Amino acid sequence: METPLASWPWGNLGVYKYVLYGTVVAKAACEWREGRSGGWSLHLLLLFALRSLVYQLWFSFGNMLFLTRRRRVVEDGVDFKQIDKEWDWDNFLILQALLGSMALYAAPSLEELPLLQLKGCIVALLLHVGVSEPLFYVAHRCFHSGYLYAHYHSIHHSSPVPQPLTAGFATPLEHLVLSAVMAAPLLGAFAMGHGSLSLVYGYVLIFDFLRSMGYSNVEVLPARLFDALPVLRYLIYSPTYLSLHHKEKNCNFCLFMPVFDLLGKTIDNKAWDLHKEIRSGGNDRVPDFVFLAHVVDVISSMHVPFVFRSVSSMPFTNYFFLLLLWPIAFSVMLLMWAFSKTFLLSFYNLRGQLHQTWVVPRYGFQYFLPFARKGINDQIELAILRADKLGVKVVSLAALNKNESLNGGGTMFVSKHPDLKVRVVHGNTLTAAVILNEIPRDVKEVFLTGATSKLGRAIALYLCKKNIRVLMLTLSTERFLKIQKEAPEDCQHHLVQVTKYQAAQHCKTWIVGKWLSPREQRWAPPGTHFHQFVVPPIIGFRRDCTYGSLAAMRLPKDVRGLGSCEYTMERGVVHACHAGGVVHCLEGWTHHEVGAIDVDRIDVVWRAALKHGLTPV
């Protein structure tokens, strides 16, 4: 038999669980239409929105690593497994809204309540200290006993990294107890005739604020405050204090006030020393590898991990509700353009190494503005120099950050700073390897667009050595001949210059390095497969053809703390230029990888990637 109250009755409804608010919405609509201002229904809905916002804002703050990385309590990242477990973290808000709607049938009309009553606030505070805190403490210790822990509370403790959303990840029984704890001061104040609208909003939102703060995994309270007023250590908990409870599981059981742990002899005194250490930046660690990315566009900027976890942890999709936030995101873009520097976005751990993603605060279109190029190169250069100063081993340049016309594929920085200890990598060698290993071995002819680019050149030279005929689309005979002369003499005849798409109307293997319009795609015969290294990827207009995705590799299975998706990628998959930097770091190679691709190293890099557990998608 299933354990009672251990799972949510609407657990299988997905987003349709919000239909449970239907009766409250309907009642609020009736009250609004009838012009009745004394009903509670609208306030219940408003409270749900505000409470959700409190948790979301604390989540966003806690995951803005460029602000909080030095004060993180638990250093590990939140992985996809934890995110999926906590997906329906807001179930408790639905439960409490439904409980509230039933309780408020007996509540006085709003017309009979004052907006604010100081006596009510004092009564609620006293009841919180005298009833809610000890009740929660006792209940929490009970939930750490054998049966209750095994069947209920262990689910909550299965999340290794506390997050504001983790606060809501628990069973219905636990949240019923929490609801009683939360309701006691409000019911008491109203029963004594000292209730007010401000008391309801104030107490509930402060309660959520303190819970979110405790679970934020960022030490926000200054250690100097506790040193100046030692009594505060027992009156207000901290994220460090709560994290010790989640780690040890036998101490620090209080709701918000550690004095009850002191009275119950369950306080862990090393919380204060750990607090000081974290506030001093003791958890800051130098990364081994940095992937230097950039923003693609305004919509993709809202897929970052500190905005909406449910969005960033899934492959890129244009959600309708994000369009409503577009004006805000556009304003942020302008502010970033004017004031921002390269910042830390995300991280994960791989075999004892810390890998981070830094973001150049520039959007895709800005890379094609002539007047913006110097500023972009300055941002990239400063990031490389900062990484060098910190002791980073490898910096890999993403997409447009290594554009040939921008900085020669990173050559500019290596030439300007010949004493760099950090290795600058464009990752194009592995990108070429991924594309080349997608091509079936029985292929005898390919059509190549973007043929004279760095990647196009490497692909053409590699294939011609395999006795594969390469139709290189280019109008520049000079650039074609230069590449052809690089090939061995007995292979040069396999490289053929073509100037029109019609030349490939019988070729079923297209390697696309330049964007193709629907009209240009029509020249491909039925059954053609389009391999791609063009950004953005081409749109698949042909139903009788197949389209490959951008070159990418799946990270090894032992990656830890990865909880967000790269642009257009699946979970656990990164762009090949990112993967190329990972391989460079894992191998411990000491050379730069900038400028032209060394064709002879394509197979070397590919074998190294497979050796370290990276797999093609």
Side-chain angles (χ1 to χ4, degrees):
M1 182 181 296
E2 186 177 349
T3 306
L5 295 176
S7 60
W8 295 93
W10 52 80
N12 295 323
L13 293 181
V15 295
Y16 296 106
K17 66 185 181 182
Y18 298 110
V19 174
L20 294 170
Y21 282 105
T23 55
V24 183
V25 172
K27 187 174 181 182
C30 290
E31 292 171 354
W32 183 274
R33 186 180 59 189
E34 295 170 4
R36 287 188 288 148
S37 58
W40 282 94
S41 299
L42 183 61
H43 290 284
L44 274 176
L45 297 175
L46 185 56
L47 262 177
F48 169 78
L50 290 175
R51 296 183 71 188
S52 300
L53 183 62
V54 168
Y55 286 96
Q56 175 61 45
L57 291 177
W58 267 108
F59 166 80
S60 294
F61 169 73
N63 287 277
M64 290 179 176
L65 299 178
F66 50 91
L67 294 176
T68 64
R69 73 181 189 279
R70 292 175 58 85
R71 291 177 285 136
R72 284 173 56 83
V73 182
V74 179
E75 296 181 60
D76 299 333
V78 180
D79 59 19
F80 292 117
K81 183 179 178 180
Q82 178 173 341
I83 292 171
D84 289 342
K85 284 194 301 183
E86 297 176 356
W87 195 269
D88 292 312
W89 67 272
D90 60 345
N91 279 337
F92 80 101
L93 293 177
I94 298 175
L95 172 67
Q96 291 179 357
L98 295 177
L99 292 174
S101 64
M102 291 185 286
L104 291 174
Y105 274 108
S109 170
L110 286 173
E111 294 173 346
E112 303 172 14
L113 288 178
L115 181 62
L116 174 64
Q117 191 179 89
L118 186 57
K119 285 184 180 179
C121 297
I122 295 172
V123 168
L125 178 60
L126 293 175
L127 288 173
H128 176 86
V129 175
V131 177
S132 295
E133 288 282 350
L135 179 60
F136 180 88
Y137 177 81
V138 171
H140 196 179
R141 290 199 65 175
C142 289
F143 273 113
H144 274 264
S145 63
Y147 179 86
L148 290 177
Y149 184 81
H151 292 83
Y152 295 95
H153 200 49
S154 59
I155 296 173
H156 177 71
H157 276 277
S158 66
S159 293
V161 183
Q163 295 275 284
L165 308 188
T166 309
F169 177 54
T171 60
L173 178 62
E174 292 170 275
H175 278 299
L176 284 171
V177 173
L178 185 66
S179 299
V181 168
M182 192 176 184
L186 294 177
L187 294 177
F190 273 83
M192 294 179 189
H194 301 307
S196 66
L197 184 61
S198 297
L199 175 61
V200 174
Y201 275 89
Y203 182 78
V204 170
L205 295 179
I206 290 173
F207 192 98
D208 287 331
F209 182 91
L210 291 175
R211 288 201 83 213
S212 299
M213 181 198 73
Y215 280 90
S216 67
N217 197 36
V218 178
E219 194 46 79
V220 293
L221 299 175
R224 288 176 296 180
L225 181 63
F226 292 105
D227 289 337
L229 298 170
V231 69
L232 286 180
R233 295 179 180 181
Y234 306 105
L235 297 182
I236 184 68
Y237 77 158
S238 68
T240 304
Y241 191 90
L242 180 66
S243 73
L244 278 175
H245 168 74
H246 270 259
K247 180 181 179 180
E248 306 293 344
K249 302 181 180 65
N250 61 356
C251 61
N252 300 2
F253 293 98
C254 74
L255 180 56
F256 304 133
M257 301 177 68
V259 66
F260 290 95
D261 280 306
L262 181 66
L263 296 174
K265 298 181 180 180
T266 55
I267 195 167
D268 190 333
N269 286 314
K270 67 174 177 279
W272 321 124
D273 293 332
L274 183 59
H275 188 149
K276 288 182 179 179
E277 180 184 341
I278 293 170
R279 282 295 302 184
S280 65
N283 273 358
D284 198 17
R285 179 183 164 192
V286 175
D288 299 277
F289 165 71
V290 167
F291 180 55
L292 191 58
H294 62 83
V295 191
V296 177
D297 53 35
V298 174
I299 288 293
S300 69
S301 70
M302 289 183 277
H303 286 68
V304 294
F306 59 81
V307 178
F308 295 113
R309 190 169 76 173
S310 59
V311 173
S312 65
S313 63
M314 300 298 290
F316 180 85
T317 304
N318 283 316
Y319 295 94
F320 174 76
F321 75 91
L322 291 181
L323 296 177
L324 303 176
L325 301 176
W326 194 92
I328 298 174
F330 183 79
S331 302
V332 171
M333 181 197 73
L334 297 178
L335 291 173
M336 288 174 61
W337 196 353
F339 303 109
S340 183
K341 296 180 180 179
T342 299
F343 60 91
L344 170 62
L345 178 66
S346 62
F347 71 94
Y348 59 86
N349 291 279
L350 181 61
R351 295 169 194 169
Q353 294 184 348
L354 176 61
H355 293 195
Q356 293 182 344
T357 296
W358 296 1
V359 177
V360 174
R362 295 296 181 268
Y363 290 61
F365 76 92
Q366 294 168 335
Y367 284 76
F368 301 97
L369 301 176
F371 63 85
R373 291 187 174 185
K374 183 180 183 304
I376 293 173
N377 275 327
D378 288 345
Q379 290 273 1
I380 298 171
E381 182 179 5
L382 287 172
I384 292 173
L385 293 176
R386 177 185 164 204
D388 189 60
K389 183 178 180 181
L390 287 173
V392 177
K393 297 174 183 176
V394 176
V395 171
S396 181
L397 304 178
L400 297 176
N401 285 335
K402 60 186 176 187
N403 190 286
E404 186 70 27
S405 62
L406 182 69
N407 51 47
T411 306
M412 173 193 296
F413 311 117
V414 174
S415 300
K416 187 175 179 181
H417 303 282
D419 297 326
L420 283 174
K421 294 179 182 178
V422 64
R423 299 307 166 195
V424 181
V425 176
H426 55 40
N428 286 338
T429 307
L430 186 56
T431 302
V434 171
I435 295 169
L436 290 165
N437 280 275
E438 288 177 350
I439 300 173
R441 294 188 177 183
D442 59 347
V443 167
K444 300 299 181 184
E445 182 181 69
V446 302
F447 176 59
L448 178 63
T449 72
T452 59
S453 65
K454 285 182 297 185
L455 270 168
R457 165 194 163 275
I459 290 170
L461 291 173
Y462 184 94
L463 290 175
C464 78
K465 291 180 180 180
K466 301 292 184 182
N467 297 320
I468 297 175
R469 189 167 183 254
V470 184
L471 305 178
M472 299 176 64
L473 180 68
T474 177
L475 298 177
S476 174
T477 302
E478 179 184 353
R479 296 179 70 179
F480 167 75
L481 291 175
K482 183 179 179 181
I483 294 173
Q484 189 182 47
K485 288 178 181 178
E486 291 187 63
E489 286 188 15
D490 59 337
C491 298
Q492 290 181 2
H493 66 282
H494 292 305
L495 300 179
V496 180
Q497 180 186 8
V498 296
T499 58
K500 295 182 179 180
Y501 289 93
Q502 292 92 314
Q505 58 186 318
H506 300 297
C507 179
K508 291 189 176 183
T509 302
W510 285 37
I511 304 175
V512 182
K514 183 180 178 182
W515 211 81
L516 296 179
S517 67
R519 186 174 184 180
E520 291 161 344
Q521 291 182 38
R522 280 200 312 231
W523 289 106
T528 294
H529 182 77
F530 294 91
H531 303 269
Q532 303 190 57
F533 62 94
V534 59
V535 179
I538 62 174
I539 300 173
F541 293 104
R542 294 280 299 274
R543 293 186 177 181
D544 57 349
C545 298
T546 55
Y547 295 81
S549 57
L550 292 177
M553 296 201 79
R554 189 176 300 279
L555 290 172
K557 293 181 179 179
D558 55 342
V559 66
R560 296 289 179 267
L562 181 65
S564 60
C565 296
E566 284 194 358
Y567 181 66
T568 74
M569 295 290 109
E570 299 175 4
R571 285 183 165 188
V573 176
V574 297
H575 293 89
C577 54
H578 182 154
V582 171
V583 172
H584 207 95
C585 189
L586 291 174
E587 281 289 310
W589 287 330
T590 58
H591 64 279
H592 296 292
E593 183 189 295
V594 294
I597 299 172
D598 184 350
V599 179
D600 293 332
R601 285 192 57 80
I602 290 177
D603 287 335
V604 174
V605 174
W606 178 251
R607 287 193 296 269
L610 297 181
K611 179 183 75 174
H612 287 291
L614 284 86
T615 54
V617 181

